[in-house]
Structure formats: structure tokens, C-alpha cells
């Protein structure tokens, strides 16, 4: 049985003038130790999919569907039951570490509090574990750093502290929402390597949100490409890079910088993602899709199996594999 199995997850928000269907039919399963990447441009529904599973969507929103974790549905779970699991068995790293670290408390207070509360250990034991975890995420002089406040650390260090905090209770699933976006490229690479090592050492399953397919290539076994609240294509990462077939996936791949192609042009997808309060009819991507036909403006294509573990929602998939689209 998978560790986490998501079926037809939906998230809707009510606003003064419209109902926003932010997530429309997400399905995936995650095995122990596996990493799933969720990719897509801004507004595609990546964060809300994950926040819904952790009972963290805004009060004007509502989630439906199933996210089965150890026989319990996380969607619609009582706050009490969710509080028992969240931050303990399921843990999240948010995009901006400053907004989720308390600026008035030392790193030690923030870390030991979690352990004392969740694991019922003494303060002394908690401090020992906190220092060990800071060392695991490669914070130099961890025993000294633990006494500092968040503002005394660099951005990369703060992100490491966030990761250390998220891993303190040894969660089974770590949800990481753009954990490296705010960091410069070198630090980004270090944090990704760190996640790889930690996964190897602790066997944690990871759901990683990113808008960068390059990050997926380095870390994920499975990938889900979202656009306009829907899943466009979903498969194992190797298949996605070898045989991308959804025009949106191919567009994202073309926007990746290529190491083998010096001076190569980065060709982003022309246009912008739709306004989710007033999405276009048909396939959400059709207005920006070079391969779109008449049917694409009318019917939203269903997400269908096209191979083992490979799902795609497209009326006009692109089948040829050219050098242009093969990146890895
Ligand atoms: N409280 C809310 N009320 C109304 N709409 C919302 C609310 N929260 C999120 N949305 C909308 O839900 C959609 C999906 O948002 P989400 O945050 O999941 O996008 P994302 O893929 O994570 O994008 P980004 O890469 O920018 O973080 C967006 O159109 C967003 O405007
Ligand atoms: Mg987001």
C-alpha cells in the first residue's frame, strides 16, 4: 500500500465575484522513500494541492476528495486529528523561511519546543537532538548557532534551519514548497544535495514543489506537471525527460537552460497563465499552445493513462522525440 494516496483532490475558493477552482482533480500515490515533483508556472495550483492535504487552506477555500495516509483521509480531518499528524508524521518546508521562523525566539527555543511537545523528551535531550539535526543539515558550529536568532543567519542557513526543524520529528512525508527559490544558485545546489542525502539517511518521502524542471531532474522519481489547476502530464521523471508529450511539458523543458548548448536561447512559453477566477473554456493551456486545435477551445481533455504510470490530459499530444526536447 502506498504511504500517501491522493484521489480526485479538488480545492475551490469563494471570492466576491467568482468561484476559483484552484485545484481540479489531482491524483497520485507516494511510496516510502519516494520523491514526487510538482511543477508548473505560478498559479497552477501546486501549493494549494499540498496545503489542502495538511488542512492549511484559507478560510474562503474548501477541499474535497481523498488523501489517504495510513488509512485515514487527510481531507476533512478534524483539527485535533490533523494537529497530531502535522509537524510530526507529515511536515512542511515553506517557501520563505523568515515568515515561518519566529524572529523573537532563538533557534534553540523553536527547535526544542517542537520536540518537547511532540516527542515528550526532556529539554536537555531535545537540545541534543536539535544540535545533531543542525549538524545533519551542515550548519557549521551548530552548538553555537543554536543560540542565535533567525536574523543572525544568512538566507541559506535559515533555509537549512527550516529543513532541520521539518525533519526533527522524523516525518514520513516532507512537503517542500519551493525550498530553494529564494536562494542563489550555489546555495540552491547545496540544499538540493542536502535533501538527497537526508532522504538517503532517513528514508523520508518527499513532495517537492518547484517551477524548475532542472530541480526535478536532480531529485525526483515521479513528476506531476500542473497548469490552471489541472494535471497536464504525470509520469516517472525519466519518461518525462526522454519522451515529453504534452505541449506544456515541452514548453517548460525548452525554458530550461542547457549545459550542452552554450549561448543557446531560453525560449519561455509566450503569454501568461490564465486568471483562475475566469479561466478559458476547454483546455486551460489552449490559448498559449502552438499545437492547439478547435476541439481544445471547447473540451477540457480528460486525464488518461497513456502508458504504465503515465497520465496525460491533451487532445493533441506531441509524439516525436527530437534533440530539442531531450534534455537529460
Ligand atoms: N484564498 C484564496 N482565495 C482565492 N483564490 C486563491 C486563494 N488562495 C489561492 N488562490 C488561487 O489559487 C490558485 C492556485 O494557487 P497556488 O498558490 O496553488 O499556485 P502555485 O502553483 O503554488 O503558484 P506559485 O508558483 O506562484 O506559488 C491561484 O490562482 C491563486 O490565485
Ligand atoms: Mg506556490
Amino acid at each position: 500500500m502506498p504511504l500517501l494516496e491522493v484521489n480526485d483532490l479538488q480545492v475551490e475558493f469563494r471570492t466576491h465575484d467568482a468561484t476559483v477552482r484552484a485545484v481540479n482533480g489531482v491524483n497520485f500515490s507516494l511510496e516510502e522513500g519516494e520523491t514526487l515533483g510538482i511543477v508548473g508556472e505560478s498559479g497552477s495550483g501546486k501549493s494549494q494541492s499540498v496545503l489542502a492535504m495538511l488542512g492549511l487552506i484559507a478560510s474562503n477555500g474548501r477541499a474535497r476528495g481523498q488523501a489517504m495516509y495510513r488509512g485515514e483521509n487527510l481531507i476533512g480531518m478534524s483539527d485535533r486529528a490533523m494537529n497530531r499528524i502535522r509537524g510530526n508524521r507529515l511536515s512542511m518546508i515553506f517557501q520563505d523561511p523568515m515568515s515561518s521562523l519566529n524572529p523573537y525566539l532563538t533557534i534553540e527555543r523553536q527547535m526544542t519546543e517542537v520536540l518537547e511537545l511532540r516527542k515528550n523528551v526532556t529539554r536537555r535531550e531535545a537540545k541534543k537532538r536539535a544540535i545533531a539535526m543542525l549538524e545533519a543539515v551542515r550548519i557549521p558550529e551548530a552548538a553555537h548557532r543554536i543560540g542565535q536568532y533567525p536574523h543572525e543567519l544568512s538566507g541559506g542557513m535559515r533555509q537549512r534551519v527550516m529543513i532541520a526543524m521539518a525533519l526533527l520529528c522524523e516525518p514520513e512525508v516532507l512537503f517542500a514548497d519551493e525550498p530553494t527559490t529564494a536562494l542563489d544558485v550555489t546555495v540552491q545546489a547545496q540544499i538540493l544535495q542536502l535533501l538527497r542525502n537526508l532522504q538517503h539517511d532517513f528514508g523520508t518521502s518527499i513532495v517537492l514543489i518547484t517551477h524548475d524542471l532542472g530541480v526535478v531532474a536532480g531529485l525526483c522519481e515521479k513528476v506531476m506537471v500542473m497548469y490552471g489547476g489541472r494535471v497536464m502530464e504525470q509520469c516517472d521523471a525519466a519518461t518525462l525527460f526522454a519522451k515529453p508529450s504534452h505541449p506544456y511539458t515541452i514548453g517548460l523543458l525548452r525554458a530550461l537552460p542547457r549545459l550542452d548548448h552554450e549561448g543557446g536561447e531560453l525560449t519561455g512559453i509566450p503569454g501568461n497563465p490564465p486568471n483562475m477566477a475566469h479561466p478559458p473554456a476547454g483546455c486551460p493551456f489552449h490559448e498559449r499552445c502552438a499545437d492547439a486545435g478547435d476541439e481544445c477551445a471547447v473540451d477540457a481533455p480528460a486525464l488518461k493513462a497513456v502508458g504504465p504510470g503515465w497520465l496525460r490530459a491533451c487532445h493533441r499530444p506531441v509524439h516525436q522525440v527530437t534533440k530539442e526536447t531531450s534534455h537529460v
Side-chain angles (χ1 to χ4, degrees):
M1 206 171 64
L3 191 56
L4 179 64
E5 186 155 31
V6 178
N7 288 308
D8 199 23
L9 178 63
Q10 316 255 351
V11 180
E12 267 183 18
F13 291 101
R14 281 190 187 282
T15 64
H16 63 284
D17 71 334
T19 299
V20 177
R21 302 198 71 180
V23 178
N24 199 342
V26 161
N27 303 276
F28 67 83
S29 65
L30 190 71
E31 307 287 341
E32 236 162 84
E34 205 170 39
T35 300
L36 166 77
I38 306 182
V39 283
E41 287 164 289
S42 193
S44 55
K46 306 180 298 295
S47 295
Q48 298 309 322
S49 300
V50 162
L51 292 172
M53 287 181 242
L54 295 171
L56 294 174
I57 54 172
S59 58
N60 64 328
R62 191 163 70 114
R64 276 174 302 170
Q66 276 191 330
M68 300 304 294
Y69 167 73
R70 297 215 171 273
E72 288 185 279
N73 189 3
L74 300 173
I75 308 301
M77 186 177 262
S78 70
D79 289 348
R80 198 155 156 242
M82 183 56 89
N83 280 331
R84 196 165 32 81
I85 298 177
R86 194 176 50 210
N88 193 12
R89 310 315 304 156
L90 308 176
S91 180
M92 176 139 185
I93 304 173
F94 294 91
Q95 181 168 347
D96 173 11
M98 238 5 216
S99 65
S100 25
L101 288 172
N102 186 333
Y104 303 112
L105 297 180
T106 60
I107 306 301
E108 176 175 342
R109 256 311 274 295
Q110 304 192 45
M111 291 183 84
T112 54
E113 237 168 37
V114 178
L115 276 174
E116 285 170 78
L117 190 76
R118 300 283 185 188
K119 298 289 181 200
N120 203 16
V121 296
T122 62
R123 173 148 304 183
R124 208 174 139 177
E125 172 62 20
K127 184 171 181 185
K128 209 171 107 197
R129 288 198 204 174
I131 292 174
M133 192 53 82
L134 290 176
E135 281 166 352
V137 301
R138 309 262 185 283
I139 301 259
E141 298 168 25
H144 161 68
R145 290 286 186 177
I146 198 169
Q148 295 189 315
Y149 290 87
H151 71 262
E152 296 179 78
L153 306 175
S154 68
M157 290 266 197
R158 283 199 288 265
Q159 196 60 298
R160 281 163 203 260
V161 169
M162 285 296 301
I163 295 175
M165 281 180 71
L167 291 170
L168 257 187
C169 295
E170 298 173 6
E172 286 189 302
V173 186
L174 176 67
F175 296 92
D177 193 350
E178 309 260 10
T180 61
T181 307
L183 307 171
D184 69 49
V185 179
T186 328
V187 183
Q188 251 184 45
Q190 289 167 0
I191 299 280
L192 291 175
Q193 183 58 44
L194 179 70
L195 287 175
R196 264 194 294 272
N197 295 347
L198 292 169
Q199 180 161 48
H200 181 262
D201 296 348
F202 297 93
T204 318
S205 304
I206 300 179
V207 176
L208 177 81
I209 297 178
T210 173
H211 51 251
D212 184 349
L213 272 171
V215 170
V216 171
L219 204 67
C220 303
E221 280 106 39
K222 286 181 176 170
V223 55
M224 183 162 90
V225 179
M226 290 187 74
Y227 186 81
R230 291 175 183 265
V231 174
M232 300 280 105
E233 187 164 21
Q234 181 173 348
C235 53
D236 61 81
T239 303
L240 189 98
F241 290 104
K243 298 191 280 186
S245 66
H246 195 293
Y248 183 60
T249 309
I250 293 171
L252 289 179
L253 282 168
R254 286 204 175 120
L256 262 185
R258 294 184 36 197
L259 295 173
D260 61 336
H261 207 265
E262 222 169 293
E265 255 175 74
L266 275 187
T267 44
I269 306 169
N272 292 305
N275 172 355
M276 292 307 290
H278 305 284
C283 171
F285 186 57
H286 83 268
E287 288 168 337
R288 299 170 72 194
C289 180
D291 300 296
D294 294 341
E295 70 277 33
C296 306
V298 183
D299 287 326
L303 190 63
K304 287 194 198 130
V306 289
W310 187 359
L311 299 171
R312 181 177 63 218
C314 185
H315 292 305
R316 299 195 163 201
V318 182
H319 282 293
Q320 85 279 11
V321 180
T322 62
K323 191 151 192 311
E324 275 245 283
T325 57
S326 64
H327 279 264
V328 174

